[in-house]
Amino acid sequence: MSSNGAGKLLSEYRKGLRPKLDERNRLIIPTLDIIVALKPKWVIFENVPNMKNTVILDENDRLVNIIDYIKERLGNEYVGNAEVVDAADYGIPQNRKRLITIFTRSEIGKEFFELTNSFIPETTHSQNGENGKKKWVTLRNAIFGLPELDARKGKEKNEAFHELHFVNILDDKKYTWVKYAAEGDSAFNNQCINPECGFQGNRRHGATIDKKDGINKYNKDTPLYCEKCGSLLPRPYTIDKKTGEKRIMKGYVSAYKRMKWDEPASTLTQNFQYACSDNKLHPEQNRVLSIYEATIIQSISDYDYSFKINGKLAKTGVIRDIIGESVPPKLIDIICRNILLIESGEHKKLKNAYKQLSLL
């Protein structure tokens, strides 16, 4: 939810109207009931960045920002805050921004927080590798050279390589759209494939800001037929049930879009194995990501893992949901190792260094 959205809800609430809220966000209430009862030394929450602006109706039917609610419930015994981090900044081959909220009642932790105002470890990577950091780990670094797959029957899996290296089969129509999409581009921008024409200047798809509501909306005038020869373009389309007429499919330029080899992957979601999902097509092969490739991008493959239950592989949908909803384990590993380092008292060296600098 944007800050504007949160402001609108507050305005409705003050007018005596009961705003529409996602009831799932109120799960923080029983979660904090447990935390307050058990009083753990450290508490870590993870969610989408916009959670920072989310409001809930608390147990007293009071509209409150969720981060403020956490602080209120934990009281003065805990210190901490919420910060947005990008997994790519820690050597994970994926741009995945998450809101990490950490609080502690540890005396050593409190001392560290007073010194740094953060429990988030220093980043190790950056886009260009400046200030002594390594460059982001790209898709090329992560999955280039794996056995090829194709979204055609008989070529969609390679179980001899890995049981999770498989993709969905695409029908002829979708396969054509995907086939002509260039690296880093969407099938909505495919150009004429008529061998007698081959015109490459057809208007591209895009989005514009609606003047009335300020919402970014996809263009509705994207051509489906070549503007030079009139041939059907290999762009996503639907067929009108009443007229039988083909029309451009509703969708943003991020749909049916190939990723780029030399960038981290975009954020994996539960729908990463669907061609229409945001920016999830393989950079050059005619397919989406395999489940196995997703475990690499999510850093799951860095650890001893299994998706088997009683010796049987879980359903694909379940595995896909787990990957899409999970936090990259490497990110949590780095955060928890940093907490252990704080608890070891290593930060006191930093504190002494600051003292020395203040005397200069």
Side-chain angles (χ1 to χ4, degrees):
M1 180 187 295
S2 68
S3 56
N4 288 338
K8 184 178 179 181
L9 289 174
L10 285 167
S11 177
E12 290 178 354
Y13 183 74
R14 287 165 183 157
K15 292 177 181 178
L17 301 173
R18 191 173 182 86
K20 293 181 180 180
L21 298 168
D22 190 337
E23 288 296 316
R24 293 173 297 180
N25 292 329
R26 298 187 80 245
L27 289 172
I28 193 65
I29 297 174
T31 299
L32 281 163
D33 288 341
I34 295 171
I35 292 171
V36 170
L38 297 179
K39 292 187 179 297
K41 271 192 175 183
W42 291 85
V43 180
I44 304 175
F45 299 98
E46 175 275 341
N47 217 304
V48 296
N50 279 341
M51 184 57 67
K52 202 167 187 176
N53 299 317
T54 296
V55 292
I56 63 167
L57 284 170
D58 68 8
E59 58 270 45
N60 298 314
D61 214 27
R62 178 176 59 110
L63 200 63
V64 60
N65 174 275
I66 198 166
I67 303 300
D68 291 339
Y69 178 77
I70 292 172
K71 291 179 179 179
E72 287 177 11
R73 289 293 307 274
L74 293 179
N76 295 329
E77 188 176 3
Y78 285 82
V79 299
N81 59 16
E83 298 180 59
V84 176
V85 303
D86 188 343
D89 290 336
Y90 294 92
I92 297 163
Q94 179 186 180
N95 281 126
R96 191 182 188 93
K97 292 185 177 181
R98 308 301 289 177
L99 182 69
I100 304 295
T101 306
I102 306 176
F103 282 86
T104 187
R105 65 179 184 84
S106 160
E107 291 304 319
I108 294 177
K110 287 181 178 180
E111 188 177 284
F112 181 86
F113 189 76
E114 184 180 355
L115 184 67
T116 65
N117 198 42
S118 175
F119 292 126
I120 300 298
E122 184 178 351
T123 58
T124 55
H125 294 66
S126 65
Q127 184 173 4
N128 300 312
E130 64 272 2
N131 300 321
K133 295 178 181 179
K134 297 178 181 178
K135 287 186 177 181
W136 279 345
V137 179
T138 67
L139 207 59
R140 187 184 300 277
N141 300 140
I143 67 170
F144 184 81
L146 293 181
E148 291 189 10
L149 298 175
D150 192 272
R152 289 294 199 192
K153 189 171 179 61
K155 298 181 179 181
E156 82 283 8
K157 58 185 176 182
N158 189 332
E159 294 179 341
F161 169 69
H162 197 283
E163 62 184 351
L164 296 178
H165 197 42
F166 62 87
V167 297
N168 295 329
I169 295 173
L170 296 175
D171 61 34
D172 290 342
K173 185 171 61 176
K174 291 180 180 178
Y175 188 88
T176 300
W177 301 340
V178 169
K179 178 181 178 180
Y180 289 99
E183 180 185 346
D185 206 352
S186 168
F188 278 105
N189 293 325
N190 286 342
Q191 296 297 322
C192 184
I193 58 174
N194 178 0
E196 296 179 2
C197 177
F199 182 56
Q200 299 298 297
N202 290 286
R203 281 173 293 159
R204 294 166 61 84
H205 197 42
T208 53
I209 302 295
D210 190 288
K211 293 181 179 180
K212 292 182 178 180
D213 54 23
I215 296 175
N216 197 34
K217 295 182 178 180
Y218 57 84
N219 293 343
K220 297 180 180 179
D221 60 351
T222 304
L224 182 59
Y225 293 88
C226 180
E227 294 176 295
K228 186 175 182 180
C229 73
S231 297
L232 180 68
L233 297 172
R235 296 180 172 184
Y237 67 82
T238 58
I239 298 176
D240 191 297
K241 292 181 180 180
K242 293 182 179 179
T243 65
E245 182 181 350
K246 295 183 178 70
R247 57 178 176 78
I248 198 79
M249 187 180 289
K250 295 179 180 179
Y252 290 98
V253 289
S254 56
Y256 293 99
K257 185 178 181 180
R258 289 193 186 276
M259 296 179 288
K260 293 182 179 180
W261 272 127
D262 296 315
E263 293 181 0
S266 58
T267 303
L268 295 187
T269 66
Q270 294 167 294
N271 296 321
F272 72 84
Q273 275 213 310
Y274 293 97
C276 60
S277 185
D278 287 354
N279 202 10
K280 295 301 179 293
L281 294 180
H282 190 278
E284 62 183 52
Q285 296 171 30
N286 298 327
R287 61 179 181 87
V288 294
L289 291 172
S290 74
I291 296 286
Y292 178 66
E293 288 167 332
T295 66
I296 296 174
I297 292 168
Q298 192 73 344
S299 79
I300 293 171
S301 65
D302 292 352
Y303 301 85
D304 185 19
Y305 74 96
S306 175
F307 290 116
K308 291 183 177 179
I309 302 173
N310 297 324
K312 186 178 180 181
L313 195 65
K315 292 182 179 180
T316 301
V318 172
I319 298 174
R320 194 169 54 230
D321 288 350
I322 290 171
I323 294 173
E325 286 292 307
S326 68
V327 188
K330 184 176 181 179
L331 179 60
I332 294 300
D333 193 352
I334 291 170
I335 291 172
C336 290
R337 286 176 186 271
N338 192 58
I339 289 174
L340 292 175
L341 191 63
I342 293 170
E343 283 289 343
S344 73
E346 282 292 310
H347 69 284
K348 291 182 179 179
K349 294 178 182 178
L350 181 62
K351 186 175 183 180
N352 291 333
Y354 277 134
K355 283 184 177 179
Q356 292 298 321
L357 285 172
S358 65
L359 294 174
L360 294 177

